[in-house]
Amino acid sequence: MSKLNIAILGCTGHVGKNLIYYFGREANFEMFLFSRDKKRISNCLQRCKIKDSVSSRTYDEFSKLDYDVIINCIGISDPAKIESEEKIIMKLTEDFDQLILDYLKNNSDVKLINFSSGAVYGEEINSPINDTTPFSLNAHSQYAIAKIQSETRHRNLAEFNIIDLRLFSFFSRFMDLNTRFLISEIISSINQKKKFITNEFDFYRDYIHPEDLFSLLKKCIDKNTINDVFDLYSKKPIGKFDLLDSLRDNFGLQYQVVPNSGFSSPTGFKENYYSKSRKAKLLGYEPQYSSIETIVNEMKYFNSEMN
């Protein structure tokens, strides 16, 4: 059986590193990894312990090569960077999206799997997303607007094989603890044996396990002609205080509730940032891990003292 050529754009980001790790352990894929800096690719390959069936490339080489599937992981996800680099987010998203779409116009049999975001539903999400929840009509975040525009372009190209995957929350052993995500701040508190300070407000998040994400990606690859979008989900979301209590019991987290303190987001407060849509079942997707199982499972890789 011949190998499938998989192009991964944004391969050195959080999601991209996981794709390198999992695709690199399958015999029937050849990876073409794209980044502005080949040295960063080399570092990722070394960390993932991948040596074979991989080609490191820069973006100016993208249009010259042959692929079966293109996976676009390019984007800014760190809340701090979203806030500081908001002006470039729109152009970054549009430029790389157009690069890929131009390729598809000349190679119509190639499939694009594009990572979108639950941010398309707006800055404030009080109720869980469902199959009838529309795009936010009043989105102010450039990040959200860029994702909405990208998905709209893709649906208007119904003749092409394009799948958008809306990612809500994601956690793995490859997360950068210097980012301003809630979970990275919690892990840093555990490692530094410092008390984690949070406010009195509870909220819910849904962390998909990297194994479940990879399982869904393979189902997307196997799907024939398709142009559609799917919300990603785990077996069960988790509330903030349930998460903190579990990490206290499993990893010795110390935390204190201080009113009007703690975590904030430049894209707005989302009380229930997860989706109840199970449309991905149409692809055969059945997640194996809940949010808390994902976090407990992957946190063990950060520090041997956590075990």
Side-chain angles (χ1 to χ4, degrees):
M1 178 179 177
S2 60
K3 292 185 178 183
L4 289 178
N5 289 344
I6 309 291
I8 304 177
L9 283 70
C11 66
T12 60
H14 184 194
V15 172
K17 289 174 184 174
N18 280 275
L19 300 190
I20 291 174
Y21 180 86
Y22 285 98
F23 275 117
R25 282 158 176 76
E26 300 262 338
N28 54 329
F29 297 109
E30 181 84 25
M31 289 187 289
F32 292 80
L33 305 179
F34 289 88
S35 173
R36 291 188 179 94
D37 185 351
K38 285 187 178 182
K39 185 176 180 180
R40 292 186 65 189
I41 298 178
S42 178
N43 292 339
C44 290
L45 291 171
Q46 185 174 7
R47 185 176 178 189
C48 295
K49 299 179 181 179
I50 304 297
K51 296 181 180 179
D52 302 320
S53 300
V54 61
S55 176
S56 299
R57 301 284 180 167
T58 55
Y59 290 114
D60 57 359
E61 301 174 272
F62 174 77
S63 301
K64 306 171 185 176
L65 303 169
D66 295 323
Y67 323 106
D68 298 293
V69 178
I70 300 168
I71 302 178
N72 183 15
C73 308
I74 290 174
I76 299 171
S77 60
D78 177 7
K81 289 186 177 180
I82 288 176
E83 195 167 24
S84 65
E85 301 181 24
E86 187 175 35
K87 292 181 180 179
I88 71 168
I89 288 176
M90 188 77 70
K91 180 172 175 51
L92 177 74
T93 303
E94 185 173 352
D95 286 353
F96 280 103
D97 200 35
Q98 196 58 55
L99 176 71
I100 298 169
L101 294 179
D102 287 343
Y103 185 92
L104 295 186
K105 289 173 184 177
N106 295 315
N107 302 273
S108 59
D109 56 336
V110 175
K111 178 174 292 176
L112 166 61
I113 302 173
N114 180 72
F115 277 92
S116 187
S117 169
V120 299
Y121 295 115
E123 278 78 22
E124 294 187 10
I125 300 176
N126 296 319
S127 300
I129 302 304
N130 58 49
D131 286 316
T132 62
T133 305
F135 284 152
S136 170
L137 298 178
N138 300 305
H140 300 293
S141 161
Q142 292 296 300
Y143 178 79
I145 294 171
K147 295 298 186 184
I148 291 171
Q149 292 182 349
S150 176
E151 285 193 28
T152 301
R153 280 194 295 271
H154 296 167
R155 300 293 80 75
N156 287 335
L157 295 169
E159 68 274 23
F160 293 123
N161 288 310
I162 305 176
I163 297 176
D164 287 291
L165 298 178
R166 293 180 185 141
L167 193 60
F168 287 77
S169 300
F170 184 60
F171 176 69
S172 80
R173 69 197 75 177
F174 297 110
M175 171 172 269
D176 181 357
L177 296 186
N178 293 315
T179 54
R180 212 177 70 190
F181 287 107
L182 171 70
I183 191 66
S184 57
E185 293 184 354
I186 290 174
I187 296 174
S188 294
S189 295
I190 295 173
N191 286 344
Q192 297 169 22
K193 302 188 185 304
K194 294 171 61 176
K195 187 174 291 185
F196 179 72
I197 304 299
T198 189
N199 60 35
E200 70 274 29
F201 300 108
D202 202 4
F203 53 78
Y204 286 80
R205 297 292 183 265
D206 199 12
Y207 295 91
I208 186 172
H209 195 286
E211 287 183 15
D212 285 332
L213 178 63
F214 185 63
S215 171
L216 176 57
L217 279 174
K218 289 198 293 184
K219 294 182 184 304
C220 291
I221 290 170
D222 291 340
K223 184 71 176 176
N224 292 326
T225 304
I226 183 173
N227 186 302
D228 212 339
V229 57
F230 301 89
D231 291 350
L232 299 185
Y233 54 90
S234 73
K235 284 177 68 175
K236 184 180 179 181
I238 183 75
K240 181 182 77 173
F241 289 108
D242 288 338
L243 171 62
L244 294 175
D245 288 342
S246 178
L247 298 183
R248 177 194 60 200
D249 297 341
N250 284 280
F251 301 104
L253 170 68
Q254 300 179 55
Y255 75 90
Q256 179 181 354
V257 177
V258 176
N260 301 314
S261 67
F263 184 78
S264 64
S265 171
T267 59
F269 177 70
K270 301 174 178 66
E271 183 178 354
N272 290 284
Y273 190 53
Y274 66 94
S275 179
K276 288 186 174 181
S277 171
R278 295 299 179 262
K279 184 178 170 184
K281 284 187 175 182
L282 297 174
L283 298 171
Y285 173 63
E286 288 289 345
Q288 301 302 305
Y289 297 89
S290 67
S291 292
I292 191 58
E293 289 170 337
T294 295
I295 291 170
V296 170
N297 181 293
E298 290 293 298
M299 273 185 69
K300 294 175 181 177
Y301 292 95
F302 279 96
N303 190 331
S304 60
E305 293 179 0
M306 285 185 175
N307 287 302

PDB file of all heavy atoms in Angstrom, residues 290-305:
ATOM      1  N   SER A 290     -12.745  11.583  28.474  1.00  0.00           N
ATOM      2  CA  SER A 290     -13.418  12.786  28.962  1.00  0.00           C
ATOM      3  C   SER A 290     -12.381  13.892  29.146  1.00  0.00           C
ATOM      4  O   SER A 290     -11.167  13.644  29.062  1.00  0.00           O
ATOM      5  CB  SER A 290     -14.118  12.507  30.292  1.00  0.00           C
ATOM      6  OG  SER A 290     -13.140  12.238  31.298  1.00  0.00           O
ATOM      7  N   SER A 291     -12.837  15.095  29.441  1.00  0.00           N
ATOM      8  CA  SER A 291     -11.910  16.211  29.645  1.00  0.00           C
ATOM      9  C   SER A 291     -10.958  15.941  30.807  1.00  0.00           C
ATOM     10  O   SER A 291      -9.748  16.163  30.695  1.00  0.00           O
ATOM     11  CB  SER A 291     -12.690  17.499  29.898  1.00  0.00           C
ATOM     12  OG  SER A 291     -13.372  17.910  28.746  1.00  0.00           O
ATOM     13  N   ILE A 292     -11.489  15.468  31.919  1.00  0.00           N
ATOM     14  CA  ILE A 292     -10.618  15.263  33.083  1.00  0.00           C
ATOM     15  C   ILE A 292      -9.664  14.101  32.846  1.00  0.00           C
ATOM     16  O   ILE A 292      -8.502  14.139  33.279  1.00  0.00           O
ATOM     17  CB  ILE A 292     -11.433  15.053  34.389  1.00  0.00           C
ATOM     18  CG1 ILE A 292     -10.503  15.112  35.588  1.00  0.00           C
ATOM     19  CG2 ILE A 292     -12.240  13.779  34.345  1.00  0.00           C
ATOM     20  CD1 ILE A 292      -9.710  16.398  35.722  1.00  0.00           C
ATOM     21  N   GLU A 293     -10.108  13.065  32.128  1.00  0.00           N
ATOM     22  CA  GLU A 293      -9.203  11.963  31.791  1.00  0.00           C
ATOM     23  C   GLU A 293      -8.076  12.450  30.888  1.00  0.00           C
ATOM     24  O   GLU A 293      -6.922  12.042  31.047  1.00  0.00           O
ATOM     25  CB  GLU A 293      -9.983  10.842  31.106  1.00  0.00           C
ATOM     26  CG  GLU A 293     -10.901  10.083  32.043  1.00  0.00           C
ATOM     27  CD  GLU A 293     -11.845   9.138  31.315  1.00  0.00           C
ATOM     28  OE1 GLU A 293     -12.106   9.362  30.114  1.00  0.00           O
ATOM     29  OE2 GLU A 293     -12.333   8.190  31.949  1.00  0.00           O
ATOM     30  N   THR A 294      -8.408  13.339  29.965  1.00  0.00           N
ATOM     31  CA  THR A 294      -7.397  13.925  29.090  1.00  0.00           C
ATOM     32  C   THR A 294      -6.342  14.665  29.888  1.00  0.00           C
ATOM     33  O   THR A 294      -5.131  14.474  29.707  1.00  0.00           O
ATOM     34  CB  THR A 294      -8.067  14.894  28.089  1.00  0.00           C
ATOM     35  OG1 THR A 294      -8.934  14.163  27.236  1.00  0.00           O
ATOM     36  CG2 THR A 294      -7.014  15.629  27.264  1.00  0.00           C
ATOM     37  N   ILE A 295      -6.791  15.506  30.798  1.00  0.00           N
ATOM     38  CA  ILE A 295      -5.862  16.347  31.553  1.00  0.00           C
ATOM     39  C   ILE A 295      -4.993  15.510  32.483  1.00  0.00           C
ATOM     40  O   ILE A 295      -3.762  15.676  32.530  1.00  0.00           O
ATOM     41  CB  ILE A 295      -6.642  17.423  32.326  1.00  0.00           C
ATOM     42  CG1 ILE A 295      -7.243  18.422  31.328  1.00  0.00           C
ATOM     43  CG2 ILE A 295      -5.736  18.148  33.312  1.00  0.00           C
ATOM     44  CD1 ILE A 295      -8.226  19.379  31.936  1.00  0.00           C
ATOM     45  N   VAL A 296      -5.591  14.600  33.225  1.00  0.00           N
ATOM     46  CA  VAL A 296      -4.823  13.769  34.149  1.00  0.00           C
ATOM     47  C   VAL A 296      -3.830  12.902  33.376  1.00  0.00           C
ATOM     48  O   VAL A 296      -2.670  12.755  33.774  1.00  0.00           O
ATOM     49  CB  VAL A 296      -5.763  12.899  35.008  1.00  0.00           C
ATOM     50  CG1 VAL A 296      -4.967  11.856  35.794  1.00  0.00           C
ATOM     51  CG2 VAL A 296      -6.567  13.775  35.970  1.00  0.00           C
ATOM     52  N   ASN A 297      -4.266  12.354  32.249  1.00  0.00           N
ATOM     53  CA  ASN A 297      -3.411  11.491  31.441  1.00  0.00           C
ATOM     54  C   ASN A 297      -2.205  12.239  30.901  1.00  0.00           C
ATOM     55  O   ASN A 297      -1.052  11.782  31.011  1.00  0.00           O
ATOM     56  CB  ASN A 297      -4.243  10.907  30.285  1.00  0.00           C
ATOM     57  CG  ASN A 297      -3.456   9.975  29.387  1.00  0.00           C
ATOM     58  OD1 ASN A 297      -2.549  10.408  28.689  1.00  0.00           O
ATOM     59  ND2 ASN A 297      -3.827   8.706  29.386  1.00  0.00           N
ATOM     60  N   GLU A 298      -2.429  13.423  30.334  1.00  0.00           N
ATOM     61  CA  GLU A 298      -1.346  14.157  29.681  1.00  0.00           C
ATOM     62  C   GLU A 298      -0.468  14.922  30.667  1.00  0.00           C
ATOM     63  O   GLU A 298       0.708  15.165  30.396  1.00  0.00           O
ATOM     64  CB  GLU A 298      -1.928  15.107  28.637  1.00  0.00           C
ATOM     65  CG  GLU A 298      -2.522  14.404  27.425  1.00  0.00           C
ATOM     66  CD  GLU A 298      -1.466  13.690  26.589  1.00  0.00           C
ATOM     67  OE1 GLU A 298      -0.559  14.351  26.070  1.00  0.00           O
ATOM     68  OE2 GLU A 298      -1.552  12.444  26.483  1.00  0.00           O
ATOM     69  N   MET A 299      -0.996  15.313  31.815  1.00  0.00           N
ATOM     70  CA  MET A 299      -0.192  16.056  32.790  1.00  0.00           C
ATOM     71  C   MET A 299       0.971  15.240  33.328  1.00  0.00           C
ATOM     72  O   MET A 299       1.989  15.792  33.724  1.00  0.00           O
ATOM     73  CB  MET A 299      -1.078  16.522  33.955  1.00  0.00           C
ATOM     74  CG  MET A 299      -1.744  17.861  33.690  1.00  0.00           C
ATOM     75  SD  MET A 299      -2.681  18.476  35.101  1.00  0.00           S
ATOM     76  CE  MET A 299      -1.364  18.852  36.245  1.00  0.00           C
ATOM     77  N   LYS A 300       0.843  13.937  33.301  1.00  0.00           N
ATOM     78  CA  LYS A 300       1.900  13.081  33.832  1.00  0.00           C
ATOM     79  C   LYS A 300       3.200  13.210  33.045  1.00  0.00           C
ATOM     80  O   LYS A 300       4.265  12.845  33.538  1.00  0.00           O
ATOM     81  CB  LYS A 300       1.427  11.629  33.832  1.00  0.00           C
ATOM     82  CG  LYS A 300       0.268  11.373  34.800  1.00  0.00           C
ATOM     83  CD  LYS A 300      -0.257   9.950  34.678  1.00  0.00           C
ATOM     84  CE  LYS A 300      -1.430   9.723  35.630  1.00  0.00           C
ATOM     85  NZ  LYS A 300      -2.013   8.369  35.476  1.00  0.00           N
ATOM     86  N   TYR A 301       3.117  13.744  31.836  1.00  0.00           N
ATOM     87  CA  TYR A 301       4.318  13.872  31.006  1.00  0.00           C
ATOM     88  C   TYR A 301       5.100  15.142  31.305  1.00  0.00           C
ATOM     89  O   TYR A 301       6.228  15.298  30.846  1.00  0.00           O
ATOM     90  CB  TYR A 301       3.937  13.850  29.528  1.00  0.00           C
ATOM     91  CG  TYR A 301       3.409  12.510  29.072  1.00  0.00           C
ATOM     92  CD1 TYR A 301       2.039  12.256  29.039  1.00  0.00           C
ATOM     93  CD2 TYR A 301       4.274  11.493  28.688  1.00  0.00           C
ATOM     94  CE1 TYR A 301       1.543  11.033  28.629  1.00  0.00           C
ATOM     95  CE2 TYR A 301       3.791  10.258  28.278  1.00  0.00           C
ATOM     96  CZ  TYR A 301       2.424  10.036  28.250  1.00  0.00           C
ATOM     97  OH  TYR A 301       1.949   8.818  27.852  1.00  0.00           O
ATOM     98  N   PHE A 302       4.526  16.067  32.056  1.00  0.00           N
ATOM     99  CA  PHE A 302       5.196  17.330  32.310  1.00  0.00           C
ATOM    100  C   PHE A 302       6.294  17.234  33.362  1.00  0.00           C
ATOM    101  O   PHE A 302       7.334  17.841  33.279  1.00  0.00           O
ATOM    102  CB  PHE A 302       4.183  18.403  32.739  1.00  0.00           C
ATOM    103  CG  PHE A 302       3.474  19.006  31.583  1.00  0.00           C
ATOM    104  CD1 PHE A 302       2.224  18.524  31.199  1.00  0.00           C
ATOM    105  CD2 PHE A 302       4.017  20.041  30.851  1.00  0.00           C
ATOM    106  CE1 PHE A 302       1.558  19.068  30.111  1.00  0.00           C
ATOM    107  CE2 PHE A 302       3.362  20.596  29.772  1.00  0.00           C
ATOM    108  CZ  PHE A 302       2.130  20.115  29.407  1.00  0.00           C
ATOM    109  N   ASN A 303       6.030  16.424  34.371  1.00  0.00           N
ATOM    110  CA  ASN A 303       6.949  16.372  35.487  1.00  0.00           C
ATOM    111  C   ASN A 303       6.836  15.013  36.153  1.00  0.00           C
ATOM    112  O   ASN A 303       5.759  14.634  36.599  1.00  0.00           O
ATOM    113  CB  ASN A 303       6.622  17.482  36.496  1.00  0.00           C
ATOM    114  CG  ASN A 303       7.678  17.626  37.543  1.00  0.00           C
ATOM    115  OD1 ASN A 303       8.371  16.669  37.896  1.00  0.00           O
ATOM    116  ND2 ASN A 303       7.827  18.815  38.096  1.00  0.00           N
ATOM    117  N   SER A 304       7.924  14.276  36.204  1.00  0.00           N
ATOM    118  CA  SER A 304       7.889  12.929  36.784  1.00  0.00           C
ATOM    119  C   SER A 304       7.433  12.961  38.245  1.00  0.00           C
ATOM    120  O   SER A 304       6.895  11.989  38.760  1.00  0.00           O
ATOM    121  CB  SER A 304       9.278  12.275  36.689  1.00  0.00           C
ATOM    122  OG  SER A 304      10.244  13.039  37.377  1.00  0.00           O
ATOM    123  N   GLU A 305       7.612  14.102  38.899  1.00  0.00           N
ATOM    124  CA  GLU A 305       7.219  14.198  40.298  1.00  0.00           C
ATOM    125  C   GLU A 305       5.694  14.228  40.454  1.00  0.00           C
ATOM    126  O   GLU A 305       5.177  14.057  41.540  1.00  0.00           O
ATOM    127  CB  GLU A 305       7.807  15.472  40.918  1.00  0.00           C
ATOM    128  CG  GLU A 305       9.332  15.438  41.022  1.00  0.00           C
ATOM    129  CD  GLU A 305       9.872  16.724  41.607  1.00  0.00           C
ATOM    130  OE1 GLU A 305       9.058  17.616  41.930  1.00  0.00           O
ATOM    131  OE2 GLU A 305      11.101  16.819  41.754  1.00  0.00           O
TER     132      GLU A 305
END
